Amino acid sequence: MCGIVGYVGPRPSQDILLSGLARLEYRGYDSAGIAVIDGDGQLGLRKRAGKLKVLRDDLVDHPLADGTTGIGHTRWATHGGPTDANAHPHLADEDRLAVIHNGIIENFAELKAELVAEGFTFRSETDTEVAAVLLGREYRATGDLVTAFRAVASRLEGAFTLLAMHRDEPGLVVGARRNSPLVIGLGEGENFLGSDVAAFVEHTRSALAIGQDEIVAITPAGVTVTDFHGEPVEVEPFEVVWDAAAAEKGGWSSFMAKEVSEEPEAVANTVRGRIRDGEVVIPELDGLDSLFAGITRVIVIACGTAAYAGMVGKYALEQWARIPVDVELAHEFRYRDPVIGPDTLVVSISQSGETMDTLMAVKYAREQGARTLSICNTQGATIPRESDAIVYTHAGPEVAVASTKAFVAQITALYLLGLHIGRIRGTLSPADSARSVAELEAVPGKISWVLEKEQAHIAQFSHWMADTQSVLFLGRHVGYPIALEGALKLKEISYIHAEGFAAGELKHGPIALIEPGQPVFVIVPSPRESAELHKKVVSNIQEIRARGARVIAVAEEGDAAVLPFADEVLRIPLAGPLFEPLLAVVPLHIFAMGLATAKGLDVDQPRNLAKSVTVE
Ligand code: M6R
């Protein structure tokens, strides 16, 4: 939540800041602002409520003097509504100092009271301005931005990434982080700071990831990183594996449309390089077999769509590795005093690698002695850095707030992990392993089939449903999390009531919701491989049909049993039961996008949301 960018170098910074903010806008889009130290050493500021476009237009109408040192921010409001005054940057020290912030400063009220008592005044309702004023006070005392930062950072409680620059020290941007993201981009005679690499990837792919409780100072000549006590620390260099074009819309109507179209590649790229002679070999886990030795259970922690990926993965892990798996929402896990220890493997799943609830749950698990493994899509992110092991998904940058290609990549990574652990534990025969590997390798082609054959049909049909007020989703077994995912996607971008249910639960209450015309999506298991379940789901369809539901079945090609009872059938290719979710979810993603588009909504930036939820 909130996107942050900083620049120092020889070039005028405004365009660099604005294009960085455009790439980070998915992190928050309530307001945006930039501050620049211009050629005369003056600090200029412009900030506006609304999306980045409002700020851009304002800068066109009323240009701001440019300069080569600057910071920029795009906000998801926490303290104080989305107004011009609450937008970042915030100024202090008689408007010579500018500060931007991501996170929540939990002790801001007491710090503010201290500052008010000393006579300081405030222009916004934000916690950020408190940090800015505190920094201004320390700067007055020390005359050195890095030293002032150290004093302030150690007084702040909560989660924060803070960037600041001072008129009296042009050519310097200082940042600090605790439990909130910040990465460094290394250029030639110029350097960058960003919430993630998207902020600077068009300028450099050479990056440094900094750790918790560290302070970074960038100048055109170099980068210095210390801890909050001023001790130098080692930083981890990495090369960004994707280029700027990967995070461009590239002719698509929306990032979401582009990302749905990339679902086949997301799976293929996540599998690539991890199969040898028909067996799963995950290079990142080389030499880490001991991580899995003696574990008696696995707990998967995640939020939202990532948690649904975990629910799908549970079936595969239990089947292949014969180990009990629980899936928990990260924010619930941490606060219920879970019984975990060294025999527990906690697997976190996060596209961004920055979700605060998941990060805190991982930290908690480690403190309790559990082993931790992170499934993550973002290099340099915090959650993998806080974990004992990482398995990256290779979905490429996901920009639309609604997660789509990352979801199929997360399931893929969990399947690879399940096959890996199954092999280590000796619970999976080579033949079964080879069969599953072959199924997994066939998934990208099958997703492409769904996109080619069904996309136009679903898009048209979602337009007919533009006035629908409520949609229900039903599934059993691995189809259940897919029903939850279908409902979440619809709520998130279409703003209509949608709920997912386990089909077997219907008669225990939800069937009362069915009235004539109620649209219900049903994820139908394969009649070939899950005959028993298939019969049960067809019975569920009949039950809701009898009460007037309008049934939209997502069913395997050739499944004729659903035809008499379904108003619409969305076809998916044949696959083994564990692989169906990777196919069945695609029509639901297309449907949610189609319905939101038909309602004239912004599918990439739905209201009230942000891509990366970095507050608890
Ligand atoms: O970055 P993460 O995977 O940790 O994000 C978790 C959820 O916030 C995320 O999946 C959210 O539910 C999506 N916007 C759903 O489309």
Side-chain angles (χ1 to χ4, degrees):
M1 274 163 176
C2 300
I4 278 183
V5 57
Y7 173 78
V8 284
R11 294 190 279 163
S13 61
Q14 278 186 37
D15 280 350
I16 294 170
L17 297 174
L18 289 171
S19 73
L21 290 180
R23 289 178 193 283
L24 295 180
E25 202 182 6
Y26 65 87
R27 302 181 72 93
Y29 31 85
D30 290 340
S31 60
I34 58 169
V36 172
I37 300 176
D38 69 25
D40 297 329
Q42 299 302 312
L43 197 155
L45 170 77
R46 186 66 46 78
K47 52 184 192 169
R48 293 296 306 270
K51 292 193 178 179
L52 184 61
K53 184 175 182 317
V54 180
L55 174 70
R56 275 187 189 280
D57 290 350
D58 191 290
L59 286 165
V60 170
D61 294 343
H62 312 283
L64 188 67
D66 214 343
T68 56
T69 306
I71 55 178
H73 188 268
T74 177
R75 179 172 187 243
W76 186 86
T78 56
H79 292 68
T83 60
D84 286 355
N86 289 332
H88 301 209
H90 291 280
L91 301 184
D93 193 15
E94 294 175 352
D95 296 349
R96 298 152 187 263
L97 171 78
V99 173
I100 54 178
H101 168 224
N102 173 28
I104 290 183
I105 297 166
E106 287 169 359
N107 59 336
F108 90 100
E110 99 198 30
L111 294 171
K112 190 169 183 175
E114 174 186 319
L115 292 164
V116 168
E118 289 176 28
F120 289 98
T121 54
F122 292 84
R123 290 174 275 199
S124 78
E125 303 151 88
T126 63
D127 51 345
T128 309
E129 195 183 4
V130 175
V133 172
L134 206 55
L135 193 60
R137 186 182 75 177
E138 291 303 322
Y139 190 84
R140 277 294 170 97
T142 61
D144 179 78
L145 194 53
V146 175
T147 311
F149 234 97
R150 244 176 247 141
V152 169
S154 46
R155 289 210 60 196
L156 303 179
E157 290 168 15
F160 52 85
T161 298
L162 285 164
L163 296 196
M165 58 181 198
H166 198 286
R167 206 184 86 169
D168 296 349
E169 293 187 73
L172 171 71
V173 175
V174 182
R177 70 168 292 222
R178 169 179 291 161
N179 292 330
S180 188
L182 183 61
V183 283
I184 305 165
L186 300 174
E188 296 283 326
E190 60 184 2
N191 289 302
F192 307 81
L193 293 171
S195 299
D196 65 51
V197 297
F200 49 72
V201 71
E202 67 182 301
H203 308 291
T204 177
R205 288 166 69 176
S206 176
L208 297 173
I210 67 167
Q212 296 293 3
D213 290 5
E214 290 177 1
I215 291 183
V216 53
I218 60 166
T219 65
V223 169
T224 317
V225 184
T226 56
D227 65 17
F228 282 180
H229 308 291
E231 297 300 322
V233 291
E234 292 259 316
V235 274
E236 197 183 302
F238 66 97
E239 199 66 18
V240 183
V241 291
W242 46 271
D243 61 18
E248 300 284 352
K249 224 188 275 179
W252 290 87
S253 56
S254 64
F255 278 107
M256 187 175 178
K258 175 178 180 247
E259 288 159 10
V260 169
S261 82
E262 290 169 345
E263 290 191 18
E265 287 165 47
V267 174
N269 291 340
T270 300
V271 172
R272 184 164 297 123
R274 289 163 167 174
I275 308 289
R276 204 180 302 148
D277 301 328
E279 268 201 355
V280 169
V281 178
I282 304 177
E284 298 100 301
L285 300 182
D286 261 3
L288 289 182
D289 282 7
S290 59
L291 189 71
F292 307 104
I295 53 167
T296 59
R297 59 198 287 233
V298 174
I299 301 181
V300 178
I301 50 172
C303 300
T305 283
Y308 300 148
M311 288 172 72
V312 175
K314 169 186 164 86
Y315 293 87
L317 256 81
E318 289 192 337
Q319 182 168 323
W320 294 330
R322 302 310 303 152
I323 191 159
V325 180
D326 293 309
V327 184
E328 290 210 33
L329 294 170
H331 35 89
E332 290 295 320
F333 168 78
R334 184 181 164 217
Y335 293 104
R336 70 167 175 78
D337 196 11
V339 182
I340 53 171
D343 62 341
T344 317
L345 175 68
V346 172
V347 175
S348 64
I349 310 175
S350 176
Q351 188 287 128
S352 62
E354 300 293 349
T355 298
M356 182 61 79
D357 292 315
T358 309
L359 172 62
M360 289 305 168
V362 169
K363 285 186 163 196
Y364 177 82
R366 283 190 89 172
E367 282 160 21
Q368 305 306 307
R371 309 167 202 196
T372 54
L373 183 147
S374 149
I375 292 179
C376 181
N377 196 44
T378 309
Q379 289 175 283
T382 310
I383 294 172
R385 290 162 57 80
E386 295 286 331
S387 305
D388 299 316
I390 313 163
V391 175
Y392 278 112
T393 49
H394 295 298
E398 192 178 66
V399 176
V401 166
S403 188
T404 53
K405 63 176 179 173
F407 177 70
V408 290
Q410 287 161 348
I411 295 174
T412 304
L414 278 164
Y415 281 15
L416 292 170
L417 184 65
L419 293 167
H420 180 81
I421 303 179
R423 187 175 54 79
I424 293 176
R425 288 169 62 86
T427 49
L428 188 65
S429 73
D432 284 344
S433 170
R435 222 180 344 265
S436 297
V437 163
E439 281 262 26
L440 196 53
E441 287 183 309
V443 165
K446 293 180 182 180
I447 298 179
S448 297
W449 185 98
V450 179
L451 291 169
E452 278 160 30
K453 303 266 189 226
E454 289 287 352
Q455 186 142 18
H457 167 209
I458 301 167
Q460 187 185 45
F461 146 79
S462 54
H463 271 68
W464 296 333
M465 288 183 64
D467 295 328
T468 304
Q469 296 301 310
S470 157
V471 181
L472 305 181
F473 293 81
L474 299 182
R476 271 181 189 255
H477 190 254
V478 282
Y480 170 43
I482 297 305
L484 296 175
E485 165 67 1
L488 173 62
K489 220 89 307 174
L490 206 55
K491 284 184 261 214
E492 186 176 22
I493 60 171
S494 300
Y495 316 151
I496 63 174
H497 170 250
E499 270 191 84
F501 298 107
E505 194 63 11
L506 209 60
K507 292 193 280 286
H508 302 282
I511 200 163
L513 290 170
I514 307 291
E515 55 186 18
Q518 169 68 52
V520 184
F521 277 75
V522 184
I523 317 302
V524 185
S526 163
R528 300 167 301 113
E529 300 220 28
S530 317
E532 205 49 35
L533 271 184
H534 179 267
K535 273 190 232 147
K536 298 257 181 316
V537 170
V538 172
S539 302
N540 295 143
I541 293 180
Q542 285 165 313
E543 288 154 13
I544 55 171
R545 249 315 263 269
R547 287 158 180 85
R550 185 162 169 226
V551 175
I552 302 116
V554 179
E556 185 176 280
E557 246 199 315
D559 178 354
V562 294
L563 290 177
F565 316 112
D567 297 274
E568 289 284 342
V569 181
L570 310 178
R571 291 296 183 188
I572 56 172
L574 312 193
L578 286 175
F579 298 88
E580 279 172 11
L582 288 160
L583 312 179
V585 76
V586 181
L588 306 190
H589 285 165
I590 300 170
F591 174 71
M593 188 168 63
L595 191 64
T597 308
K599 292 182 73 178
L601 299 170
D602 181 343
V603 299
D604 288 339
Q605 296 183 341
R607 69 184 179 203
N608 304 339
L609 289 167
K611 179 78 182 157
S612 179
V613 184
T614 54
V615 294
E616 278 188 273

